[in-house]
Amino acid sequence: MSFSEHVEQLALEKAKIMYSFMEDEVPTLFNRKKWKGKIIGWAVQDQDFRSRLLRFVDVLPTLKTDSAVYKLFQEYFSDVDAIPPDVRIPVDRLSRRTDLDRIIPVILKRALDSLAAQFIAGKTVADTLSTLHAFRKQGLAASLDIVGEEVLSDEEADHYVNRYLEVMNVLVPAARSWQEMPLLDTDDRGPIPRLDVSLKATSFYSQLDPVDWDGSILTTTKNLAPVFEAAREQGASVTIDMEQYYLKDITIEIFKALLLDHPDFEYPGIVLQTYLPETAADLTSLVDWARKHGRRFGVRLVKGAYWDYETVINPRKGWPIPVFLEKEKTDLHYEQMTKVVLDNIDLIRPAFASHNVRSLSYAMAVAEDAGLPKNALEFQMIFGMAEPVRKAVQKMGYRVRAYIPTGELIPGMAFLIRRLLENTFSESFLKRSFFDNTGMELVRSPQLDESFVQPPASVGFMNEPVTDFSRARNRSAMYDALATVEENLGNRYPLIIQDREVFTDETTFSVNPARPEQLVGRVSRATSGQARDAVDSAREAFVAWKKTSPQERADYLFRAAAEMRKRRFKLAALEIFEVGKTWKDADGDIAEAIDYLEYYGREMIRLGQTTMAGAYPGEENLYFYEPLGVGLVISPWNFPIAIPTGMVSAALVTGNTVIFKPSGLSSVCGWQLAEIFKTIGLPPGVLQFVPGPGNETGEYLVSHPEIDFVSFTGSREVGLHIVSVASKTEPGQKGVKRVIAEMGGKNAIIVDETADLDEAVKGVLDSALEYQGQKCSACSRVIVIDSVYGDFTARLQQAMNSLRIGPTDKPWNFFGPVVDQASAQRIQKYIETGIKEGNALLARPGPENGFFIGPHLFADLPLHSSLVKEEIFGPVLVLLRASSLDSALRMATDSQYALTGGVFSRSPQNIQKVIAGFDVGNLYINRKITGALVGRQPFGGFRMSGIGYKAGGPNYLIQFMHERSASENTLRKGFAPFL
Ligand code: NAD
C-alpha cells in the first residue's frame, strides 16, 4: 500500500472514531434549541441578516446609554423582515409592552455578554485564572491571548507589554501549583510549559509597517523582549500569531530576530496560514533556518482567519488576492503542510489548530504512519467553538490546547466578529457538519472543484496599484532610486519652448526642505519675452494638434503612462527630495499621475465620437466637441507630479496646446513631466515648459490675450486673483478666457458616539497628518460628540505624539518637513495664535535643521478663531466639541470652503443625515478623507474651494472643449434619406 493510500485509510478510521465519540452532541453555537444557535442559524441562511447582525454586534459594546442601544437596534432591524421568525415571536410579544426602550437594551446587552463569554474567557487576570483552572480540570491545555490588534500609539503598545507581563508574572506562576497531568505537561521529549501565550506583533509597535523594514523589526523585537524574557524565566511558551498577509513576511522576520536575541528561550512558536499558497515556501525556509541555527520551535498550522479581509482589501489596492479562493484548496494545502511539519519534527513542535474532523484525522494518520507517539503533537481549538470535536480528540488520547482570548469586549470585537464570520460562513466545516448535518461526507480527502471560476478580470480603466513595500524587491528599488537621484541632484534645468531647451541666467533654486543646504536643482525662469514666444509657438502648433484624432492624442497619454511606470521609483524619489513626501505618499502621487493619463486617454476616446442629438426624419443633428485653443496650466507643489499631469494631460488630450508653469517649489518635478512628454515624441509646441515666479511669469501669461483658458490648482487667494485678471479682456482678444480653478479647503471630520474609535483615531490621524497636513483634502477640524470626546482626544493625542519625525528619505520617518521657510513661518503664526486663544493639547517641535513643524493639536478655541476658519495647510489640527450631530453638522458646514469632509459613525440614520447635510465636494464615510482615486472618487469642491468639474471624473474633460452642434435639414424636394 502506498503512503497516501495508507494515510487515507488511517484518516478515515480516525474520523469514524471521532464521530462515534461525538455521539450526536452539537456545539453550543449550532444548537438550534438555544437562542444562540437560532441566531447563528438565521445568519447562515440569510445574508442580509448576517451582515446586519455582524454590524450591530460590532457597534453594540461601544454604546454608552440604553437609549443609544435602543435607537441603533431600531435602525438596524426596523423592518420586520430583518428579524428572524424565531426571534420575532418574543419580540412581538414584547412589543405589547410600553417600556420596550428599557427592556430591549437590557436583553441585548445580556445577549452580547453571553455571546462574548462564549469566546472571551474573562476581563481580568483573576477571571481568566479561574477559567484556565476550570479548563485544566477538563483535561485541556491553554494558550492565552490578550484581545486587541493594531495599536495606535506608544502608550497603547506599553499597555500590551504590561498586560502580557502580568500574565507571565501572575498566571504562569499560579499554573505551577496545578496538579501534574502528564498528557498536558509533557510531550515525547519531556516536560513542556503549562501555559502558552499567543500575541500579535502589531500590538507591540504602533508604527510597525514593512515600508520601514529594519526599524519595524528592531523596535518590535525590542518591545517584545521583556515578554520573551519573562516567559523564559517563568516557564511559558510564546506563539506569535499571524495577521494580515501584508504583515506576513515581516512577522516571520520578527520571529527569527526574537529567536536570535533570545538563544536560551526554548519555547517560541509561530502561526502559519494554509490559505496562503506562499506558506509552502515559508515553511520550507523556516525549516532550513531552524536547521542552520540549531533551533527548534513551535508551528501552529491554521487555515487563516482574515479571508474576507484579504479578498476585499487587496483587489481594492489593485494587488493580487494572496489567499486561495476555494476552500478545498486551503484544506488540501493544510494536509500538505501537515506532512512537512511532521516530517521535520526534529525541528518543529507541531500544533494543528483546526475544527475540521478531516484535517485533524489526517494529521493523526500521518503521525501514526510515521510512528510518532500521540503526545508528540497537539491539537488546538478555539475556546467556545466545536466542543464535541474537542472532546472527541481528547478521548482519543491527544493533547488539546484551547485558544483562550481574554480582555475587554471592545478591543475583542475584531476577534468576536472573526468567530461569527467563521461560524456563519457557508463553506465552514463546522457549519456544514453541524448545521447542514453533512457528517462523514466531509471526511473524504479535499477535492478541487473545477467549477469554481475566478472572477473575470475587469476591462476598461483600472487604478494603477500602489507599490507594495512589504516586498523586498520594491524596497530595494526605492533605495536604489533614492541613491541615484541624490547623486544627480543640483542640475540646471531649461525651459522648453517649441522644441528648444532654453537655459536662462536667472534661475529658481529648489532645495530639499528636510536639508535646505541640499540643492535639488536650479530651474530656468522664463522672461516675459520667452513666455510670449511660447504662446506664439502654442498658437502655431494648435492648428495641426487640433486635427489630430482623439485616439492618436490618447495614445500619447498612454505612452507617457508607460514611460512613467518605467521611471516610477526615480520620480517618487525626486518628490521625496524636492517636497518632503514620505515613501508611500510619493509613490501614491506617481500612481495617481499614471491614473490621470490612462483615465483621460480613455475618456477622450469616448467623448471624441460624434453623436446624433434626437432622431427625427428630415434632419440630422450632429453633436461634437472641439478644443478651446491655447491653455495655461498653473500647478501647486503639493502633488508635484500628479496634479500637473492631470491638468496637462486633460488639456492636451482634448486637442489644446499647453503652456505649463509649475510651482517654483516643485519645478524639478515639473521638468520631469515635460521631459516625459518630450521623450515620447509629442510634437513641438504642443506642450511647453515655462517655469517662473507666479506673480511675474504666471501673471503675465494669465493676462496674455492669446491664452484661451487657464487651468489652475492652488490657493484661494491666487485662484481668485487669476479669475479676476483673466476676466479682463485686452484689445483684439477674441474670446472670454475660461478659468478652471481648484482651490483650498477647511475640511472637517465628524466623530459621533457610535464611531469605531480605532478607525476614527487612525482615520483622523492620517487625514490630518499625512504629508504634514499639506493636502488640500487634509482634515483640519475634527468635531467630536461629547460622549466620546474624552476617549477620542486622549487616543488621538497619543497617536500624534508617537509619529516619528525627520527627513522622509528614511522610511522610518512617517512625518517630514513642511515645504519651505515661508510655509513654516506662516504655520508658526497660527500656532502662536492657537496658544493664545485656546489650549494646545499637543505641540511637538521638529528637528532643528530643515523646515520642520511637528504635529499640533488645539482644543477650546473660539469658533471665530482664525485656526477654526482659515486654511492653515500644515500639521495643525483643531478639535471641536459638539453636543449633538445637528450641532456638529452646523459647525462642519460653517465654512466658505466645501472641499472634503468625513464622518465616523455606525448609525445608518446618522450616516444618511450627514450625506444629506454635509455639503462638500467629497464626503467620506468611515475612512480617511484624503487619497481620492481617479475614476472612483472624482475630486473637487465648490464655494471657495473651486470652480469646474471634478478631476478624475466623467465631466472633467468637457470643460477643456467647446460643444458644437451642426443641424442639417436633409429634406430636399420632399425627399429625405432614411434615418
Ligand atoms: P499657490 O496658490 O501659492 O500657488 C499655486 C500656483 O500658482 C503656483 O504655480 C504659483 O507659482 C502660481 N501663482 C502664484 N501667484 C500667481 C499669480 N499672481 N498669477 C499666476 N500664477 C500664480 O498654492 P500652493 O502653495 O502651490 O498650493 C497650496 C494650495 O493649493 C492650498 O491652498 C491647497 O488647498 C491648494 N490645492 C488645491 C487642490 C484642489 O484640488 N482643490 C489641490 C492641491 C492644492
Side-chain angles (χ1 to χ4, degrees):
M1 201 187 281
S2 70
F3 164 79
S4 55
E5 283 166 348
H6 183 226
V7 167
E8 201 55 38
Q9 192 187 14
L10 274 176
L12 267 177
E13 281 169 21
K14 302 281 176 200
K16 273 189 197 147
I17 300 173
M18 224 181 283
Y19 272 114
S20 74
F21 281 147
M22 286 194 237
E23 294 163 350
D24 294 335
E25 196 195 338
V26 179
T28 321
L29 277 186
F30 291 98
N31 185 345
R32 276 183 274 188
K33 291 192 191 107
K34 301 267 170 63
W35 69 267
K36 282 183 207 159
K38 282 182 185 161
I39 291 193
I40 293 285
W42 197 261
V44 164
Q45 283 168 3
D46 181 339
Q47 285 305 309
D48 175 47
F49 176 68
R50 180 179 187 247
S51 70
R52 288 181 201 231
L53 176 73
L54 289 172
R55 285 170 166 233
F56 185 63
V57 169
D58 176 44
V59 65
L60 193 49
T62 20
L63 301 177
K64 295 209 164 117
T65 60
D66 283 359
S67 61
V69 172
Y70 186 58
K71 177 172 175 284
L72 266 271
F73 174 72
Q74 285 183 312
E75 287 181 28
Y76 278 92
F77 301 104
S78 54
D79 33 337
V80 176
D81 288 349
I83 304 180
D86 294 342
V87 184
R88 206 182 306 151
I89 299 161
V91 170
D92 282 349
R93 217 175 289 147
L94 269 176
S95 63
R96 281 177 231 128
R97 301 184 54 147
T98 51
D99 54 353
L100 272 189
D101 54 339
R102 204 179 51 74
I103 291 181
I104 286 195
V106 174
I107 297 176
L108 288 172
K109 279 191 183 159
R110 256 190 230 152
L112 181 70
D113 284 345
S114 154
L115 199 57
Q118 178 84 26
F119 296 113
I120 299 177
K123 285 186 184 161
T124 63
V125 165
D127 296 344
T128 309
L129 185 61
S130 61
T131 312
L132 289 181
H133 207 180
F135 268 50
R136 174 95 181 170
K137 285 186 191 142
Q138 295 172 39
L140 277 170
S143 179
L144 206 64
D145 160 67
I146 295 174
V147 287
E149 323 257 313
E150 245 182 280
V151 296
L152 299 171
S153 63
D154 295 342
E155 282 86 349
E156 291 179 18
D158 286 348
H159 167 80
Y160 277 100
V161 173
N162 292 333
R163 294 285 321 264
Y164 274 104
L165 288 179
E166 195 183 355
V167 167
M168 294 299 173
N169 296 327
V170 178
L171 290 189
V172 179
R176 266 186 239 128
S177 63
W178 293 338
Q179 203 186 347
E180 168 97 27
M181 294 178 77
L183 179 59
L184 302 190
D185 301 331
T186 49
D187 67 7
D188 55 331
R189 296 167 175 236
I192 56 170
R194 290 197 165 179
L195 207 57
D196 180 63
V197 171
S198 296
L199 49 83
K200 294 185 173 54
T202 48
S203 305
F204 289 82
Y205 181 35
S206 66
Q207 314 292 300
L208 196 164
D209 189 326
V211 72
D212 171 25
W213 188 261
D214 297 333
S216 294
I217 295 172
L218 201 74
T219 312
T220 313
T221 49
K222 185 173 86 50
N223 293 354
L224 270 165
V227 178
F228 263 62
E229 263 322 297
R232 187 186 61 80
E233 268 169 32
Q234 301 290 358
S237 56
V238 178
T239 306
I240 309 277
D241 266 324
M242 196 54 84
E243 304 172 68
Q244 303 91 305
Y245 171 72
Y246 179 67
L247 300 170
K248 171 185 66 85
D249 288 349
I250 202 161
T251 305
I252 294 176
E253 287 314 306
I254 288 170
F255 177 68
K256 289 183 195 162
L258 281 164
L259 260 63
L260 294 178
D261 288 350
H262 303 273
D264 303 335
F265 183 45
E266 283 181 70
Y267 294 101
I270 188 161
V271 176
L272 294 179
Q273 301 154 323
T274 69
Y275 64 12
L276 300 175
E278 276 180 24
T279 294
D282 294 334
L283 179 56
T284 314
S285 85
L286 271 169
V287 167
D288 292 345
W289 189 92
R291 183 163 296 117
K292 182 171 159 217
H293 291 87
R295 291 298 289 269
R296 186 168 190 259
F297 50 79
V299 167
R300 175 192 299 156
L301 215 52
V302 302
K303 303 267 166 89
Y306 299 78
W307 191 88
D308 289 75
Y309 172 89
E310 302 291 3
T311 54
V312 170
I313 211 77
N314 291 291
R316 220 153 80 172
K317 292 185 187 166
W319 294 353
I321 296 178
V323 293
F324 287 120
L325 291 183
E326 299 89 340
K327 176 83 173 63
E328 297 256 332
K329 280 194 181 158
T330 299
D331 290 345
L332 187 64
H333 198 214
Y334 194 92
E335 297 191 357
Q336 291 158 348
M337 297 302 96
T338 296
K339 174 91 172 55
V340 178
V341 164
L342 290 173
D343 282 349
N344 291 285
I345 197 154
D346 55 325
L347 300 165
I348 288 177
R349 262 178 295 109
F352 301 99
S354 171
H355 305 123
N356 181 323
V357 172
R358 161 76 199 186
S359 304
L360 300 170
S361 47
Y362 187 83
M364 293 172 189
V366 176
E368 193 166 307
D369 178 79
L372 296 171
K374 283 185 176 174
N375 65 356
L377 50 157
E378 76 177 31
F379 294 97
Q380 300 191 353
M381 294 181 210
I382 289 171
F383 168 65
M385 280 174 72
E387 299 93 332
V389 181
R390 184 246 291 163
K391 286 182 201 161
V393 176
Q394 280 180 285
K395 280 188 198 155
M396 290 168 82
Y398 292 95
R399 181 169 65 254
V400 177
R401 190 177 297 278
Y403 183 88
I404 310 179
T406 156
E408 295 289 334
L409 192 48
I410 295 179
M413 225 50 227
F415 180 84
L416 186 57
I417 295 284
R418 278 202 292 275
R419 299 292 76 83
L420 290 175
L421 271 175
E422 207 167 298
N423 280 291
T424 52
F425 174 50
S426 62
E427 294 293 307
S428 122
F429 175 85
L430 288 180
K431 177 254 162 187
R432 286 168 71 193
S433 185
F434 294 105
F435 190 81
D436 307 338
N437 288 324
T438 334
M440 276 300 282
E441 243 176 70
L442 294 174
V443 174
R444 65 187 166 78
S445 115
Q447 305 293 311
L448 298 185
D449 181 350
E450 295 304 332
S451 66
F452 264 104
V453 189
Q454 291 249 10
S458 122
V459 283
F461 171 76
M462 298 282 284
N463 293 102
E464 184 71 13
V466 292
T467 300
D468 178 356
F469 286 112
S470 74
R471 307 261 140 204
R473 65 167 184 279
N474 290 335
R475 288 192 304 276
S476 69
M478 193 67 185
Y479 274 118
D480 290 349
L482 283 164
T484 317
V485 169
E486 189 163 22
E487 262 171 38
N488 293 296
L489 292 182
N491 286 339
R492 285 186 68 198
Y493 296 90
L495 320 171
I496 301 179
I497 296 188
Q498 218 211 10
D499 56 352
R500 283 172 295 121
E501 294 194 350
V502 180
F503 287 89
T504 61
D505 294 337
E506 276 203 52
T507 52
T508 302
F509 283 66
S510 179
V511 300
N512 178 351
R515 294 180 212 102
E517 64 283 4
Q518 186 172 45
L519 180 67
V520 172
R522 287 174 57 194
V523 183
S524 297
R525 293 162 79 135
T527 60
S528 46
Q530 286 157 334
R532 197 169 42 237
D533 289 349
V535 179
D536 291 346
S537 304
R539 183 58 60 197
E540 210 178 296
F542 178 61
V543 180
W545 183 243
K546 176 186 174 179
K547 292 188 194 133
T548 313
S549 75
Q551 176 71 52
E552 223 177 302
R553 295 195 302 249
D555 285 339
Y556 283 109
L557 266 54
F558 301 146
R559 262 180 267 155
E563 187 62 30
M564 259 189 202
R565 280 191 194 97
K566 277 196 232 155
R567 304 184 185 188
R568 181 165 184 161
F569 288 102
K570 284 196 192 144
L571 292 172
L574 177 63
E575 291 197 4
I576 292 169
F577 288 116
E578 192 169 33
V579 297
K581 293 225 168 201
T582 56
W583 282 32
K584 281 187 177 175
D585 265 334
D587 174 73
D589 196 58
I590 310 305
E592 186 179 339
I594 296 171
D595 279 351
Y596 284 125
L597 294 164
E598 294 285 353
Y599 180 79
Y600 292 149
R602 285 172 176 74
E603 279 293 289
M604 190 59 224
I605 294 168
R606 173 177 73 84
L607 294 169
Q609 317 275 339
T610 298
T611 53
M612 290 282 197
Y616 288 86
E619 67 178 45
E620 242 180 53
N621 301 308
L622 301 183
Y623 173 80
F624 54 98
Y625 297 103
E626 277 192 351
L628 298 177
V630 175
L632 169 63
V633 167
I634 300 181
S635 63
W637 47 267
N638 67 334
F639 290 90
I641 294 188
I643 289 185
T645 300
M647 294 197 291
V648 164
S649 63
L652 288 178
V653 81
T654 42
N656 304 286
T657 50
V658 175
I659 293 168
F660 164 39
K661 193 211 85 62
S663 160
L665 297 169
S666 60
S667 302
V668 181
C669 286
W671 157 261
Q672 295 292 332
L673 174 62
E675 205 272 326
I676 284 171
F677 273 110
K678 198 160 179 262
T679 305
I680 57 131
L682 195 71
V686 173
L687 172 65
Q688 297 172 91
F689 180 61
V690 187
N695 55 1
E696 294 169 23
T697 319
E699 180 115 5
Y700 171 81
L701 283 164
V702 172
S703 57
H704 194 293
E706 286 288 321
I707 291 288
D708 295 300
F709 67 97
V710 182
S711 176
F712 166 84
T713 303
S715 63
R716 177 177 80 161
E717 186 196 357
V718 174
L720 294 181
H721 179 66
I722 287 178
V723 168
S724 111
V725 173
S727 69
K728 295 198 187 83
T729 45
E730 298 289 325
Q733 185 173 325
K734 290 212 187 82
V736 183
K737 285 175 192 156
R738 189 177 287 180
V739 178
I740 302 157
E742 301 185 40
M743 304 183 287
K746 183 69 191 170
N747 314 304
I749 294 181
I750 297 174
V751 179
D752 83 2
E753 68 280 14
T754 67
D756 179 331
L757 288 194
D758 287 345
E759 300 278 338
V761 171
K762 180 88 176 87
V764 170
L765 181 78
D766 290 347
S767 306
L769 297 185
E770 273 174 357
Y771 194 35
Q772 296 77 260
Q774 303 172 112
K775 294 185 180 180
C776 49
S777 50
C779 169
S780 64
R781 298 177 292 156
V782 54
I783 306 167
V784 189
I785 299 292
D786 263 340
S787 58
V788 287
Y789 184 89
D791 288 351
F792 174 84
T793 306
R795 292 192 67 191
L796 178 67
Q797 195 253 16
Q798 290 173 352
M800 288 172 80
N801 206 15
S802 302
L803 288 178
R804 290 180 74 153
I805 309 179
T808 48
D809 53 335
K810 310 291 178 240
W812 52 87
N813 292 322
F814 292 103
F815 188 97
V818 298
V819 75
D820 68 350
Q821 184 76 40
S823 279
Q825 284 165 350
R826 194 177 39 76
I827 299 165
Q828 196 57 45
K829 278 210 184 106
Y830 280 107
I831 291 171
E832 281 154 23
T833 309
I835 291 170
K836 268 190 233 132
E837 294 181 352
N839 221 332
L841 300 184
L842 182 78
R844 285 183 72 188
E848 285 286 298
N849 187 31
F851 310 130
F852 286 96
I853 300 255
H856 283 70
L857 180 64
F858 285 98
D860 309 320
L861 286 161
L863 290 179
H864 59 76
S865 166
S866 58
L867 275 80
V868 180
K869 294 280 179 205
E870 294 169 14
E871 183 182 47
I872 302 173
F873 222 58
V876 178
L877 178 63
V878 170
L879 255 168
L880 300 168
R881 191 179 187 132
S883 55
S884 66
L885 183 65
D886 287 327
S887 129
L889 269 172
R890 273 195 299 278
M891 287 182 196
T893 50
D894 179 20
S895 171
Q896 290 187 313
Y897 294 103
L899 191 52
T900 68
V903 62
F904 282 88
S905 171
R906 285 177 286 187
S907 152
Q909 246 177 37
N910 287 6
I911 292 174
Q912 286 315 315
K913 204 168 183 174
V914 172
I915 292 176
F918 197 171
D919 56 343
V920 287
N922 286 65
L923 182 70
Y924 298 94
I925 298 138
N926 291 325
R927 52 155 286 177
K928 66 177 181 178
I929 65 171
T930 51
L933 288 170
V934 172
R936 272 151 80 180
Q937 292 102 25
F939 185 79
F942 46 92
R943 292 206 284 271
M944 289 296 178
S945 292
I947 39 174
Y949 289 117
K950 282 171 173 290
N955 297 325
Y956 188 71
L957 290 190
I958 293 171
Q959 57 196 347
F960 293 85
M961 297 183 284
H962 299 295
E963 288 171 288
R964 287 194 54 199
S965 90
S967 299
E968 181 182 349
N969 171 15
T970 56
L971 191 69
R972 293 193 197 159
K973 303 277 183 289
F975 164 76
F978 188 69
L979 261 185

